[in-house]
């Protein structure tokens, strides 16, 4: 059968029909354990009752009016986001890439206000920021950029987790208006920087009067054991972007600002037809209320550490394991050889996982994962890894 969908994805030959928590069922009623959450989206698990109720209720009343008018659920979601993040205000988009587009525009306008003719942003090797032209230009992956030149200019790239590289650029390049960085790199291989990396970036951004911009699209919404990953460091960035788990599957993105980024945009500077519509905001509000009324975020630390510890025990004698690392429920198992084949093998064993950068097994299970599911995840995947590396 010829598909009428553009072949932009290498899809696995499986269709899911329903889900509940960390379980998914395919169209043959076969059950799978989801250790990926639709790539860090369904952090509350599938078919969460609070999200279900919120979108049913809202859709019975109103789906969309546009940002020509006041939107109560958008105001409420903004209030809750500000309360939980400590940031000051927010622009709502529909996706992660769009949230980053807003951040990039903030940096450019900030730079121009400082008198910089061509404001530039420091970005990292192995970063991922999205697939629009500006965000793929910011992304540190040649495969994603190839064929789409000319790229958007104004990005200066340095290695991740390398403060002196940032210092060198700042000392020489007077056009830098911002630094854009992920607190933990997701697509880049679950790369966890030094524990004071963000603190050092914060200090440099203060020293040079530039914007500290964090892409928390994957790390945010409880994933790493804090609501936002920067809360591990006791700092506030100037800009923070969110999407993925904010709507638990309903598309919504957000660009949060604080400090010197708070008052950059004025009426007419940015916009989105769908951004912050009543449906998406009701879902987002249900997600945030569920998280703040539960212990799911702090449990993400315990569960993630338990999973990493169990994998280390099971795989301690396997010389092909380079590293097992996690920050909360963002987990990476790095092998010394390509292991993308494990994705299909895990699927056959009833388990959804991901491999990024060819050699890093990436696990992003829902925060609602229970003890039995943790055991199943570790037992199934350890056995597959042992067999694969034999
Ligand atoms: C997924 C992701 C994006 C892009 O989000 P989309 O919603 O796919 O546009 C950007 N940055 C990071 C860190 C991501 O993980």
């Amino acid at each position: 059968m010829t598909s009428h969908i553009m072949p932009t994805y290498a899809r696995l030959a499986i269709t899911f029909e329903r889900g509940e928590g960390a379980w998914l069922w395919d169209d043959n009623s076969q059950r799978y354990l989801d250790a990926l959450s639709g790539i860090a989206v369904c952090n509350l698990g599938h078919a969460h009752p609070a999200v279900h109720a919120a979108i049913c209720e809202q859709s019975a009343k109103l789906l969309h009016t546009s940002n020509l008018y006041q939107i109560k659920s958008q105001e409420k979601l903004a209030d809750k986001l500000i309360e939980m993040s400590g940031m000051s205000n927010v622009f709502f988009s529909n996706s992660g890439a769009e949230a980053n587009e807003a951040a990039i525009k903030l940096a450019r306008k900030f730079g121009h206000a400082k008198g910089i003719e061509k404001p530039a942003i420091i970005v990292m090797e192995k970063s991922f920021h999205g697939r629009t032209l500006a965000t793929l230009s910011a992304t540190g992956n040649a495969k994603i950029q190839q064929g789409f030149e000319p790229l958007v200019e104004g990005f200066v790239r340095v290695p991740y987790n390398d403060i002196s590289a940032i210092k060198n650029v700042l000392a020489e390049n007077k056009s830098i208006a911002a630094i854009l960085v992920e607190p933990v790199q997701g697509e880049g291989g679950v790369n966890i920087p030094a524990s004071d990396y963000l603190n050092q970036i914060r200090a440099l951004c203060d020293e040079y009067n530039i914007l500290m911009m964090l892409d928390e699209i994957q790390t945010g919404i409880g994933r790493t054991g804090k609501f936002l990953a920067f809360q591990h460091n006791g700092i506030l960035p100037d800009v923070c972007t969110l999407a993925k788990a904010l709507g638990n599957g309903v598309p919504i993105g957000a660009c949060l600002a604080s400090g010197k980024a708070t008052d950059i945009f004025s009426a007419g500077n940015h916009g989105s037809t769908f951004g912050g519509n009543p449906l998406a905001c009701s879902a987002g509000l249900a997600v945030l209320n569920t998280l703040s009324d539960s212990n799911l975020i702090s449990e993400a630390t315990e569960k993630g550490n338990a999973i990493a510890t169990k994998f280390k025990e099971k795989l301690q004698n396997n010389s092909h394991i380079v590293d097992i690392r996690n920050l909360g429920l963002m987990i990476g198992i790095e092998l010394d050889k390509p292991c993308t084949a494990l994705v299909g093998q895990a699927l056959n064993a009833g388990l959804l996982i991901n491999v990024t950068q060819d050699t890093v097994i990436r696990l992003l299970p829902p925060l609602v994962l229970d003890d039995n599911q943790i055991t199943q995840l570790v037992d199934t995947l350890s056995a597959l890894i042992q067999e694969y590396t034999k």
Side-chain angles (χ1 to χ4, degrees), residues 117-157:
E117 196 183 328
K118 288 188 166 186
I121 302 172
I122 295 180
V123 292
M124 307 301 152
E125 289 173 7
K126 291 193 178 177
S127 63
F128 182 78
H129 298 298
R131 300 288 200 146
T132 62
L133 266 177
T135 59
L136 77 81
S137 302
T139 290
N141 181 340
K143 268 193 244 166
I144 283 175
Q145 299 173 335
Q146 203 163 34
F148 301 108
E149 301 85 354
L151 300 181
V152 172
E153 60 183 319
F155 296 102
V156 178
R157 201 169 303 285

Side-chain angles (χ1 to χ4, degrees), residues 101-263:
E101 288 277 348
I104 292 164
K105 284 179 69 174
L106 281 173
R108 288 215 170 163
K109 192 141 187 294
F110 176 77
H112 285 299
K114 277 180 66 172
I116 302 172
E117 196 183 328
K118 288 188 166 186
I121 302 172
I122 295 180
V123 292
M124 307 301 152
E125 289 173 7
K126 291 193 178 177
S127 63
F128 182 78
H129 298 298
R131 300 288 200 146
T132 62
L133 266 177
T135 59
L136 77 81
S137 302
T139 290
N141 181 340
K143 268 193 244 166
I144 283 175
Q145 299 173 335
Q146 203 163 34
F148 301 108
E149 301 85 354
L151 300 181
V152 172
E153 60 183 319
F155 296 102
V156 178
R157 201 169 303 285
V158 299
Y160 189 62
N161 195 21
D162 184 342
I163 287 294
S164 60
I166 297 177
K167 282 184 182 165
N168 290 341
V169 171
L170 289 173
E172 302 205 327
N173 188 335
K174 296 303 153 202
S175 294
I176 301 298
I179 300 174
L180 174 63
V181 59
E182 296 154 86
V184 175
Q185 288 186 329
E187 308 301 313
V190 191
N191 302 320
I192 305 170
S195 60
D196 67 344
Y197 182 57
L198 296 186
N199 303 75
Q200 299 224 41
I201 290 177
R202 177 68 274 175
L204 286 171
C205 289
D206 290 340
E207 185 185 336
Y208 285 88
N209 186 30
I210 59 173
L211 299 182
M212 176 180 188
M213 309 204 299
L214 293 180
D215 180 340
E216 292 243 22
I217 291 163
Q218 194 159 145
T219 53
I221 324 291
R223 171 62 48 194
T224 71
K226 296 280 186 188
F227 175 58
L228 300 174
F230 69 71
Q231 293 169 332
H232 289 286
N233 297 75
I235 53 146
L236 264 191
D238 300 299
V239 176
C240 172
T241 54
L242 300 174
K244 289 202 163 90
L246 181 53
N248 208 57
V250 178
I252 180 169
C255 176
L256 283 64
S258 88
K260 48 188 181 277
T262 311
D263 299 316

